[in-house]
Amino acid sequence: QLQASGGGLVQPGGSLRLSCAASKFTLDYYDIGWFRQAPGKEREWVSCSSRRHSRTDYTDSVKGRFTISRDDAENTVYLQMDSLKPEDTAVYYCARDRQRLRVGGCPRGGALYAYWGQGTQVTVSS
C-alpha cells in the first residue's frame, strides 16, 4: 500500500513537500511516479524516479520547480514542490511501477503502475 500525504493550501510562490510512504513492500526495486488530476481534467503524469538508472524525470511544466527524491531507510518517496502556481492545483497521487527494476527509465503511462496512493489535495491560491 502507498500513503500519500503533505498536501494543503498554499499561496502562489509557496512550497509544499508531498510524501509517499510504502507499507507491505519495499520501494527499493521499483520506479515511483507522481501524477495529478485537476477538476474536470484527465490525470497527468508529473514526475518519476528510476531505480535502475538512478534518474529522475519531470513534465515540462514543473521542471526546475519540483524535485522527486527517495529515502530508502524510510521507504518513502518525496515530491518537493517550490514556486507553486495556481495551475498546480490538483489531487496528487503516487504510484509504484508494475515492473521491478525497469530498464530504460521510469514510465510516464499510468497503466504501467500497479499500486496507487489515495491522493492528497494541493491547492494554490491567494
Side-chain angles (χ1 to χ4, degrees):
Q1 290 182 338
L2 295 175
Q3 179 77 29
S5 61
L9 173 63
V10 63
Q11 292 186 343
S15 297
L16 285 173
R17 188 178 77 159
L18 305 184
S19 299
C20 177
S23 60
K24 300 184 180 180
F25 54 75
T26 178
L27 298 179
D28 286 358
Y29 303 109
Y30 295 94
D31 296 352
I32 301 299
W34 283 98
F35 294 77
R36 65 186 180 187
Q37 187 166 21
K41 294 188 177 181
E42 293 187 353
R43 184 178 63 196
E44 173 190 24
W45 170 79
V46 175
S47 176
C48 62
S49 168
S50 169
R51 172 53 82 183
R52 176 182 284 272
H53 302 287
S54 298
R55 288 201 304 256
T56 58
D57 197 9
Y58 302 91
T59 192
D60 286 347
S61 63
V62 308
K63 281 181 181 177
R65 300 189 297 120
F66 289 12
T67 304
I68 188 171
S69 62
R70 295 175 180 256
D71 185 331
D72 292 339
E74 296 294 327
N75 206 28
T76 298
V77 175
Y78 300 99
L79 185 68
Q80 177 68 41
M81 305 187 298
D82 298 318
S83 302
L84 282 162
K85 304 176 181 180
E87 51 263 43
D88 295 319
T89 296
V91 178
Y92 283 71
Y93 301 89
C94 60
R96 196 211 79 179
D97 193 349
R98 293 182 181 276
Q99 184 172 331
R100 189 174 182 270
L101 293 175
R102 181 181 292 275
V103 174
C106 51
R108 299 187 177 192
L112 297 177
Y113 290 85
Y115 295 94
W116 292 79
Q118 83 287 5
T120 184
Q121 176 70 48
V122 172
T123 303
V124 185
S125 175
S126 55

